[in-house]
Amino acid sequence: MTLTLTVTDEVRALAPGFTHVVIEADGLVNGRSTEASSALLDDAARRLAVRLDGRAPHEDPHMLAWREVYTAFGSKPSRTRNSAEALAKRALTDAGLPRINVLVDLYNAISVAYLIPVGGEDTDRIQGGMTLQRATGGEEFVTVAGGEEVVEHPDAGEVVWTDAVGVTCRRWNWRQGPRTRLTEESTSAVFLLESLAPMTVAEVERAGAELAELLHKFSPGARITVHAPA
């Protein structure tokens, strides 16, 4: 793997059913959302509705597992929802899913269709490797509030993704920082699909394979590597 990703023993102990699939991609073509990427989001919302069969997103067994883990590290899951649950709630409203840019649309579509947290980071903006760890509380998370750049600090014990500079995503997969997010200019990316039991490894692999297929379709010349679940 070009980019080193580490999950600490502390996180493994907190969530022994955690599995993730990593996709590395170079030579991507990004830009503003298109009719094709928008259609994928609409189709994902329809697939979600079939999956839920009348239930609310938080009633799905996979989302319940994430809520339990969020509670275990001191976060209130009804206030700070994991990324998949938050997207699913938006997908079921009249407004529907937001259109961000092509690459974000693709991984959001997979997140909603499979009801699994999926993130995308610009590898050219990541410093060093990435680590999923429990925070000390002293780490810096640079975000934007009211149009101004602000520095937050995660709670002690909170699960965060970090690189050599600071926190890239708070509360596991709740809020991504702007520093490493995918923009219309991004050409290299790492995509991370994160699951907990009872979601099977086979389903995570299917979600990863479908995302890789979409990346090939929207960026035909890209070099894409899907790594084995870990």
Side-chain angles (χ1 to χ4, degrees):
M1 188 180 297
T2 305
L3 178 69
T4 302
L5 277 82
T6 303
V7 179
T8 65
D9 291 341
E10 276 190 313
V11 172
R12 292 288 188 190
L14 179 74
F18 176 59
T19 300
H20 63 286
V21 167
V22 178
I23 300 174
E24 290 187 283
D26 294 297
L28 295 166
V29 178
N30 201 12
R32 298 177 64 180
S33 299
T34 64
E35 288 187 8
S37 69
S38 183
L40 285 172
L41 293 171
D42 290 337
D43 182 61
R46 288 189 288 270
R47 292 167 65 181
L48 172 68
V50 172
R51 174 182 288 268
L52 291 174
D53 192 24
R55 295 172 299 170
H58 71 268
E59 296 175 308
D60 178 85
H62 191 211
M63 295 298 93
L64 287 172
W66 278 106
R67 283 189 165 223
E68 289 176 5
V69 167
Y70 268 50
T71 300
F73 66 75
S75 187
K76 294 183 178 179
S78 59
R79 226 172 67 187
T80 54
R81 296 179 175 87
N82 74 80
S83 63
E85 184 182 327
L87 274 176
K89 281 180 66 68
R90 295 190 68 172
L92 297 175
T93 64
D94 291 339
L97 290 164
R99 276 57 173 164
I100 308 298
N101 58 56
V102 169
L103 292 178
V104 175
D105 290 352
L106 298 189
Y107 78 71
N108 278 350
I110 295 299
S111 176
V112 169
Y114 285 86
L115 205 50
I116 178 175
V118 183
E121 306 276 0
D122 188 324
T123 47
D124 291 332
R125 297 169 180 263
I126 295 170
Q127 302 297 314
M130 295 182 65
T131 303
L132 185 66
Q133 63 188 50
R134 302 197 73 170
T136 64
E139 298 89 348
E140 292 191 349
F141 177 70
V142 180
T143 187
V144 176
E148 300 290 331
E149 187 176 280
V150 296
V151 177
E152 298 177 353
H153 297 278
D155 300 326
E158 180 183 325
V159 177
V160 294
W161 278 103
T162 66
D163 67 359
V165 174
V167 175
T168 59
C169 194
R170 284 200 60 187
R171 295 193 177 102
W172 205 314
N173 46 41
W174 168 64
R175 178 177 292 171
Q176 181 187 34
R179 173 171 59 89
T180 58
R181 68 187 176 193
L182 296 174
T183 68
E184 293 180 16
E185 290 72 41
S186 297
T187 58
S188 298
V190 57
F191 300 93
L192 187 64
L193 298 87
E194 301 178 302
S195 73
L196 296 170
M199 179 173 275
T200 65
V201 173
E203 187 164 17
V204 184
E205 289 181 305
R206 284 196 296 273
E210 187 171 342
L211 178 54
E213 184 179 334
L214 289 174
L215 293 171
H216 277 297
K217 179 180 178 180
F218 282 79
S219 297
R223 299 175 299 282
I224 298 166
T225 304
V226 181
H227 297 277

